[in-house]
Amino acid sequence: MDSIIFDLDGTIWDPIDTVLGAWNSVIRKNSQIKSELTRKDFEGTMGLQMEEIGRKLFPSLSYEERQQIVNDCGEVEHSFIEKQGGMLYPNVENVLRELSQKYKLYIVSNCQAGYIESFYKYHKLEQYFLDFENPGRTCLSKGENIKLVIDRNNLSDPVYVGDTKGDLEAARFAGIPFIYATYGFGQVNQYDKAIGSFEELLNVF
C-alpha cells in the first residue's frame, strides 16, 4: 500500500452543527420553506452530492428553486466553516501526522467546490494532504473522482476510508480496498476492514 484516500464528513470530522447553522440562516430568509432543518435531517444526507441533498431536504421546491437555495446555502456554509470549523474526531491531527510519514494522503469528498478549502483554512490540516477532489470541481461521481486522484498522482496501491454505502460503492468502482469508519454517519455491511475510531487507522497500517 502506498497511499490512503479519505472521505471527509463522518470520517475525519463531524461538521453538522456548523453546517446546520449556516443553512438555517439562509432558510429563515426564504418564505417558501416553512421550517428550519434539524441535525437529523442532515445526518440523512451524509455522502450525497449537492443535487441529491437539495432533492431530499426540499422536495416541495422546483428543481430551479432547489438549486438556488442549495447554492446560497453552500456559499454561506463556507464562511461559517472558515470561522467556526467543525468537530474533528479525536486525535485526527496526530494520526494524520504519523500516517503522512509513511503514506501519501488524499481527500475525495462529495462536496461543493470550496468546502475542502474551508476545512483546511480553519483546521490547518492541508500540510498532511497532497491532493483532493470533489464533484463541485469536476461534476464527476465519487468513484470517478477517486480514479482521477489515483491517475493524477500515479498511485499504485491506494485504499479508501469512508463511512457510507456510497463510499463503499465508490471504492469498488475505483477497484481499491474499502476501510469502513463505523463511528461515522452510515451503515455499511461490506468492507475490507473496519475501524471504530480514527485512531485505529494506526493499527490497520
Side-chain angles (χ1 to χ4, degrees):
M1 189 186 75
D2 66 336
S3 51
I4 308 169
I5 307 173
F6 292 92
D7 172 51
L8 184 50
D9 297 347
T11 300
I12 293 176
W13 74 340
D14 176 347
I16 289 181
D17 290 342
T18 300
V19 172
L20 192 59
W23 283 52
N24 280 334
S25 73
V26 175
I27 286 171
R28 292 186 197 106
K29 302 173 185 176
N30 189 305
S31 60
Q32 293 177 289
I33 303 173
K34 304 305 180 184
S35 60
E36 295 185 9
L37 298 170
T38 66
R39 182 178 176 87
K40 186 175 181 180
D41 291 330
F42 267 105
E43 288 176 350
T45 68
M46 291 294 105
L48 301 179
Q49 291 199 17
M50 295 300 285
E51 184 176 334
E52 296 173 287
I53 291 173
R55 191 161 56 244
K56 188 163 186 174
L57 294 180
F58 311 115
S60 64
L61 301 184
S62 69
Y63 172 80
E64 292 76 15
E65 290 166 340
R66 283 199 302 267
Q67 290 296 99
Q68 185 62 56
I69 192 72
V70 166
N71 289 339
D72 291 346
C73 288
E75 287 299 316
V76 174
E77 181 179 297
H78 292 163
S79 64
F80 270 58
I81 290 174
E82 288 178 6
K83 295 174 183 176
Q84 301 176 28
M87 186 191 77
L88 291 178
Y89 291 118
N91 291 321
V92 159
E93 183 163 11
N94 291 335
V95 173
L96 291 175
R97 183 184 299 112
E98 189 164 339
L99 290 175
S100 67
Q101 294 172 9
K102 302 176 183 178
Y103 306 101
K104 300 172 183 177
L105 307 184
Y106 305 89
I107 294 176
V108 173
S109 173
N110 261 351
C111 59
Q112 71 273 28
Y115 184 85
I116 296 173
E117 294 92 326
S118 298
F119 162 76
Y120 282 162
K121 186 168 184 178
Y122 185 86
H123 290 287
K124 312 297 184 187
L125 297 176
E126 64 270 25
Q127 62 186 303
Y128 302 111
F129 297 98
L130 300 177
D131 195 5
F132 67 87
E133 202 49 89
N134 58 70
R137 297 203 307 185
T138 66
C139 296
L140 299 175
S141 69
K142 180 171 277 188
E144 291 170 319
N145 280 327
I146 291 174
K147 291 186 74 172
L148 183 64
V149 166
I150 291 171
D151 294 341
R152 191 161 67 203
N153 293 280
N154 299 310
L155 307 182
S156 60
D157 191 18
V159 301
Y160 190 72
V161 183
D163 68 306
T164 67
K165 183 180 178 183
D167 293 334
L168 165 68
E169 293 169 348
R172 294 291 185 255
F173 178 89
I176 63 174
F178 174 67
I179 297 176
Y180 172 37
T182 64
Y183 54 86
F185 299 116
Q187 295 294 323
V188 182
N189 296 321
Q190 298 178 15
Y191 46 83
D192 296 292
K193 291 185 179 179
I195 53 172
S197 70
F198 197 80
E199 290 176 291
E200 284 187 29
L201 286 171
L202 298 178
N203 298 327
V204 173
F205 303 123

